[in-house]
Amino acid sequence: MMRSQFKELYNAWAKTNMQGKLQRLTWLLLIAILLIFGSTRSIAAKIDPGDGHTASAIYILHGIDRVEDRSAIAATGVDIIEVGKDYIVIAATPEQIDQIKQLGFAPSQFQTLAASPSSLVDPAYHTYAQMVADIQSYAITYTNIMQLITIGLSYEGRPIWAAKISDNPNTDEGEPEVLFTFHQHAREHLTVEQGLYTLHLLTDNYGTNVTITQLVDTRVVWLFFDLNPDGGEYDITGGNYQGWRKNCQPVCDSSYLGTDLNRNWDYRWGCCGGSSAISSDETYRGPSAFSTPETTVISNFVATRVISGVQRIKVAIDFHTYSELVLWPYGYTNDPIPSDMTQHDHDIFVTMGEAMAGMNGYTPEQASDLYIADGTIDDWLYGVYRIYAFTFEMYPTSFNPGFYPSGDHIATETERNREPILYAIDVAGNPDQVLPPPLPPQAYLPIVMR
């Protein structure tokens, strides 16, 4: 299906959005049907499966235990797949390997990237069309607490869907808001399942679970289920995983395809060696910040949540795989408290991050403790809007199974984040609550003069 066809359907749906429910659902069903029969074909026809991948292979570098070394390696534009205690796993081209060797490191090849996604696509994971059908069915069932919207289109023309969960979803009550985003990177399909799990958690338990009911009654929760639908669909073309990371937007004056969405956000974009200006690299940041339609539509949405000069969104989590980490800003600098962060906010980040990691068993740390990354969503959300933004790197912790764990793990690994998700929604009411209160005046010991 061509982008223009999606636009026509999207515009028609938008016109009926505020009209009768039956008419609206008819358009949603039509979009879903056309997605099933047309969307994957259009991507496959436009993408050369070799672009950006045929020259890549998987390497391991031992003796890498310093963030400075990891950042220097990342600055070559390689895709750092896994960070261990004293090693890293990367996907790199021969040119990048030459650069790494010039830095004094000794990478060892142990698998080609084309062969690394060796398993067939697991049917337990939702395709884009199946995801749309699921969220649309919930929008019909839970009209009292859920509003389903689209905020724009991906490059290939797929609607980017969001759910608003609140006790009065069609009314702006001025309640604190939380933002959950999923699937910036194409091969990280488990994050879509986390988004659907979160939708089911908040809706299926409303009215029966006291905690969840109270949270939905007093907060607004935004779920953006799939930030990279084009890349996700391409990653499963042909029935085998493709190892795709970026979106599917052609790069001007280049034969390569795709931008790393999580290097395309407009805060410290391209500032610090934490992304690549080379279009063939996996961490290619694009020709400019917000050069991708996917990041642009999300940024436009977040801007609309500034009401009377105050950003309503207080807490955000962006879900990725893999490594089992809870990360907080900044990624662009190793400084834990640079000039664009206060001690107060840093303390909240650390306290929240450690609390959530204690709930799901992940490791908590500042994002740059892995390596420098600039132009990320967390840096942008906090740097521009002072939203307490985190990244969750989900299951597993190692290259096997890496980005493609068996569907048998979906239920366990999404349930694993139940408590951190509810905690984040709760804290959004007043993030200062996580810090200990100041001591009352009488608690201070008097100074004894001798």
Side-chain angles (χ1 to χ4, degrees), residues 58-232:
I58 305 296
Y59 295 82
I60 188 168
L61 289 87
H62 296 283
I64 307 298
D65 56 5
R66 300 170 63 245
V67 64
E68 293 82 4
D69 292 340
R70 294 193 294 267
S71 296
I73 293 168
T76 66
V78 301
D79 180 9
I80 295 185
I81 294 174
E82 182 179 324
V83 175
K85 183 177 180 180
D86 58 356
Y87 72 91
I88 61 172
V89 177
I90 64 173
T93 64
E95 294 78 10
Q96 291 166 340
I97 291 300
D98 288 342
Q99 294 179 55
I100 291 171
K101 289 179 178 178
Q102 291 173 15
L103 293 173
F105 302 108
S108 301
Q109 182 175 344
F110 70 98
Q111 191 169 30
T112 61
L113 186 60
S116 61
S118 56
S119 61
L120 296 174
V121 171
D122 193 321
Y125 287 88
H126 286 73
T127 65
Y128 175 74
Q130 290 168 341
M131 179 204 75
V132 172
D134 191 0
I135 61 179
Q136 287 178 353
S137 69
Y138 267 68
I140 296 169
T141 303
Y142 294 100
T143 56
N144 59 321
I145 59 169
M146 176 181 173
Q147 181 186 38
L148 186 61
I149 64 172
T150 64
I151 61 165
L153 303 174
S154 66
Y155 177 79
E156 287 284 336
R158 291 179 173 84
I160 295 178
W161 295 90
K164 178 185 179 183
I165 309 296
S166 182
D167 60 336
N168 292 299
N170 298 308
T171 303
D172 188 349
E173 298 180 298
E175 296 169 333
E177 301 182 8
V178 188
L179 174 67
F180 295 118
T181 51
F182 309 90
H183 201 220
Q184 280 205 74
H185 291 146
R187 62 198 176 195
E188 299 171 11
H189 302 282
L190 184 59
T191 64
V192 174
E193 305 305 318
Q194 185 70 69
L196 295 175
Y197 168 85
T198 306
L199 172 65
H200 300 168
L201 172 68
L202 298 178
T203 54
D204 291 342
N205 292 285
Y206 182 78
T208 56
N209 180 287
V210 174
T211 298
I212 291 174
T213 302
Q214 183 177 16
L215 290 176
V216 172
D217 284 346
T218 57
R219 305 286 188 273
V220 173
V221 180
W222 297 100
L223 303 175
F224 285 82
F225 301 97
D226 193 342
L227 269 60
N228 188 4
D230 300 348

